[in-house]
Amino acid sequence: MKNRMKRLLAALVCVAALVTGCSEADIVNANISQQADYFECERKITVYNARTDMVILEAEGYMSISNNDTGELVCMVKTGPDKYKKNYIYLNDYTMYVVEDITGTHTDPYHYKMYFHTEFPVSVETRP
């Protein structure tokens, strides 16, 4: 049923593109965005401090992203068959982010990594 709905939606996008005269790039853009929203594309987000050119955060995994009205990047990540995590990345005048499509680099569909970059050592307590 899910695949049938995807095919129907893709067909509707193609028909709409033909009627409105969209370019091939517009169609591909819509298809890739839809695949990402269904957690079918592995992405890497890199957040930079625009004043210092330093990387603040990197996150990679099968994720859907959007911006909300409060200056945050909302990152939904699939971590299991029916498990998801929702992360917020605050953006301001001094931060910017880049999203890369890195599909095909991992075989684990629930692959998820998040790296925080800091200028000072962070102490971490480990427990067995």
Side-chain angles (χ1 to χ4, degrees):
M1 181 71 175
K2 190 176 181 181
N3 286 335
R4 187 176 186 192
M5 289 298 291
K6 285 182 187 179
R7 280 188 244 132
L8 178 62
L9 188 57
L12 288 173
V13 168
C14 290
V15 169
L18 291 173
V19 171
T20 60
C22 293
S23 69
E24 181 178 355
D26 293 332
I27 296 168
V28 170
N29 183 36
N31 289 340
I32 289 174
S33 295
Q34 179 185 6
Q35 285 178 306
D37 286 339
Y38 282 101
F39 303 99
E40 295 174 352
C41 296
E42 186 171 10
R43 295 169 149 182
K44 179 179 179 181
I45 298 173
T46 306
V47 181
Y48 297 93
N49 179 324
R51 291 187 326 176
T52 64
D53 294 333
M54 296 201 54
V55 174
I56 299 170
L57 166 78
E58 291 179 64
E60 61 181 60
Y62 290 85
M63 61 184 77
S64 173
I65 61 170
S66 62
N67 293 100
N68 65 16
D69 296 333
T70 59
E72 296 168 323
L73 178 65
V74 180
C75 179
M76 291 288 298
V77 182
K78 189 169 189 174
T79 60
D82 290 314
K83 295 181 181 179
Y84 303 89
K85 290 188 179 195
K86 188 173 188 177
N87 301 293
Y88 295 92
I89 302 168
Y90 180 72
L91 304 172
N92 61 33
D93 292 339
Y94 303 113
T95 56
M96 62 174 270
Y97 68 92
V98 175
V99 179
E100 301 173 69
D101 183 347
I102 57 171
T103 301
T105 60
H106 298 282
T107 57
D108 180 4
Y110 309 117
H111 171 78
Y112 171 59
K113 291 182 182 179
M114 188 169 262
Y115 305 97
F116 289 90
H117 296 266
T118 60
E119 294 183 34
F120 51 89
V122 176
S123 62
V124 178
E125 180 182 339
T126 58
R127 296 181 186 171

